[in-house]
Amino acid sequence: MTVKEVGSEAALRNAHCELDGLTPKQALAEQANGALLIDVRLEAHSAGIAGIPGAIVIDLMLLSLRLDPTSEHRIPEADSWDSRYVLFCEHGQSSQLAASELRKRGLHRATHMTGGFEAWAGAGLTTVHGSADVRS
């Protein structure tokens, strides 16, 4: 009999193993090829915080509902189980867990950006201020 690991750290390890986490530059390339960048930072719902051009802000608690193609509450872009979603948060842990959950719910191409927004900004990629596309 095998013992199943439990707890937050185990969940992060499991999510890390099952996801194809992207670097910020890879995330930018995927966005250019049609992937949706999804900002799950709570602070992103407030005006004035820096964000990523073209990213959609969705409350972490509503994420699966808003991206489920069968939900009446989905965003218009969530029209296929095959859609590519690249989630990001501030540092990468919340978006990693969220992407893992989306995969368990059938969105098999969901992933996350390693290092989150902090890594994006640190890579010198373009950021915007105060123009968030909030879909919560």
Side-chain angles (χ1 to χ4, degrees), residues 52-84:
I52 295 175
I56 298 171
V57 179
I58 300 178
D59 186 306
L60 194 55
M61 299 303 292
L62 300 174
L63 196 59
S64 62
L65 184 66
R66 303 296 276 151
L67 297 181
D68 179 340
T70 64
S71 170
E72 65 182 85
H73 303 289
R74 70 177 180 84
I75 62 172
E77 297 88 345
D79 58 0
S80 170
W81 292 105
D82 294 323
S83 294
R84 179 68 159 168

Side-chain angles (χ1 to χ4, degrees), residues 3-73:
V3 177
K4 184 176 180 181
E5 278 190 287
V6 295
S8 312
E9 294 300 319
L12 277 170
R13 279 192 299 277
N14 291 337
H16 177 75
C17 290
E18 69 188 32
L19 296 173
D20 56 332
L22 304 176
T23 67
K25 289 182 181 178
Q26 289 171 322
L28 179 62
E30 293 243 359
Q31 183 185 36
N33 287 322
L36 290 180
L37 267 60
I38 307 292
D39 187 343
V40 298
R41 297 175 298 161
L42 182 60
E43 301 84 12
H45 290 83
S46 306
I49 188 168
I52 295 175
I56 298 171
V57 179
I58 300 178
D59 186 306
L60 194 55
M61 299 303 292
L62 300 174
L63 196 59
S64 62
L65 184 66
R66 303 296 276 151
L67 297 181
D68 179 340
T70 64
S71 170
E72 65 182 85
H73 303 289

